[in-house]
Amino acid sequence: MVLRRVYREAAVGLGGVKKRHNLSEALKTLKLSSTGASDSVEGCLDCMLKALALNNVETSEKIQEMGVLATMPPLLSANNTSTAKVANIIAEVAKNEFMRSPCVEAGLIPPLVQLLNCKDQEILLQTGRALGNICYDSHEGRGAVDAAGGAQLVAEHIKARAESSDSVDGKLLTVFCGMLMNYSNDNDSLQAQLISMGVIPTLVRLLGVHSQNTALTEMCLIAFGNLAELESSKEQFASTNIAEELVRLFRKQVEHEKKEMIFEVLAPLAENDVIKLQLVEAGLVECLLETVQQTLGSDRDEDAAQLKTSSDLMVLLLLGDESMQKLFEGGKGSVFQRVLSWVPSNNHQLQLAGALAIANFARNDGNCIHMVDTGIVQKLLELLDRHVEEGNVTVQHAALSALRNLAIPVVNKSKMLEAGVSDVVLKFLKSEMPPVQFKLLGTLRMLIDTQAEAAEQLGTNLKLVQRLVEWCEAKDHAGEVARTVIQALGIKHLVTMATSEHMIMQNEALVALGLIAALDLDCAEKDFVSSSLVQVLHKLLTDEHSAPEIKYNSMILICSIMGSEPLHKEVQALAFLEVISSLRSHENKTVSHQASLTEQRLTAQS
């Protein structure tokens, strides 16, 4: 979860106001004046600023109590020599939450926004501060600035000064960026407005040009963290060199907090596949691996947090097909090898990340075959063995996911069975955790697909069959409410589960039905027919909303029941061949491949 930050100036109290009567007199004098041209007004403003510096809260309360805010709009003129001081006072009082709505109600926003059109640097600086503080956590303030068009003017100022190396411009840019952050924070519509104004490319340019300006750099990072959560921002970010800038900045950081700020930007950005690849090409992975190496074994909480964030981000980068394949490098890449070394680690977070990384690398047949041939299965089995007794559930689930993916290519199944995968997986039958139970079934089902001997062995495993029946009867799996306790082998109940509105329940019901069909089709045949299994499978395959996993497992199940004459006839009667043929062009490669295999099976038995 990305933490949203805001730019907020501190309201500092330094004790009571020593000359309170002087302040009262100054406020009275200011109320009586309609312009800022007199020396007396100038003196009043100076007195107010000194009082605010001594005790901001009490002075602000006094200003509000005496109704002074309402006298300020006429003083906010670009031609007034005191305008910068007036804007400064407004900025100071707006540090207090109780003063923001009164500032809006006093009509200060329109004249402040008008001041953004002037050229005077000091006026612009104080005006930016005033608007930013009024917008901080204030719906009224943001609404008023929006109505007056303030954000557009500030965005234009930032763009115009983006390339400037002037220190004064640097300070102004920092204030203006902070103003836009406070204006849009936690408000999706206002953030979308900024994105449509094109602020993202401008802010990325700031990060590159002003990398030595720590305050401005931090302001840009916080702004990125807020904007990056909107999906509409990803396309704009992808069109910039944000990946290079963030990686360059990350390499320079030594402080935990600074790295954490960059992580908060990287996490939402890395959800986009285009940006994933850009980050990989920019060298982020090497930075993450180095961070893991530096923090591994440390007892400090911040180091443990960095290790987790770095390894999690590494796994996230592998979710993109192109970025994953680039890092795999035919199974010889240094990054791939380093990630593999995490699996035998004694650190649970690295074990988890390593197993998840393998599962992500195992997303095409070529990668899976290479990994099985190079002994990765043994690493996963050793990891699982370490977590059988009171083990880490997330590690168990991740390792089973990796084994399940590796078992998809037909050539891998017999090799994995010979390596003892089913024996190790069956050790987790006693698990009471639904995610582990689901993944265990998925792994076994993938292993025995087309492996008749292995299916027969599992079919004679009394513990597995008994546990399968227990799971079918369970009324509560991961919060999902199942139907009534099943009869016989639970087929009627499982077929009903296959029509559930919850994809996980659907998928695991299909997996269980597949296991039953593989174990003893003859005994299950009658219940399959009476529960209208074939009709349900036809509906799942023709439903355009069915997930790829559902379509894939439905086709696996069809192949499994073709040995039954009555079920075979039902399949033929519903013209399954036409439906399966159309799935050969499915966008999901696993589904299209299985459609081809299923079509061959149906054609051969027609």
Side-chain angles (χ1 to χ4, degrees), residues 135 160 185 188 203 249 315 459 489 498 593 606:
C135 285
N185 185 55
D188 288 353
L203 292 176
L249 194 61
V315 172
L489 287 173
H593 178 65
S606 61

Side-chain angles (χ1 to χ4, degrees), residues 16-26 47 51 54:
V17 181
K18 294 181 180 179
K19 298 183 179 179
R20 197 163 298 179
H21 64 283
N22 287 350
L23 174 61
S24 298
E25 291 300 317
C47 181
L54 287 169

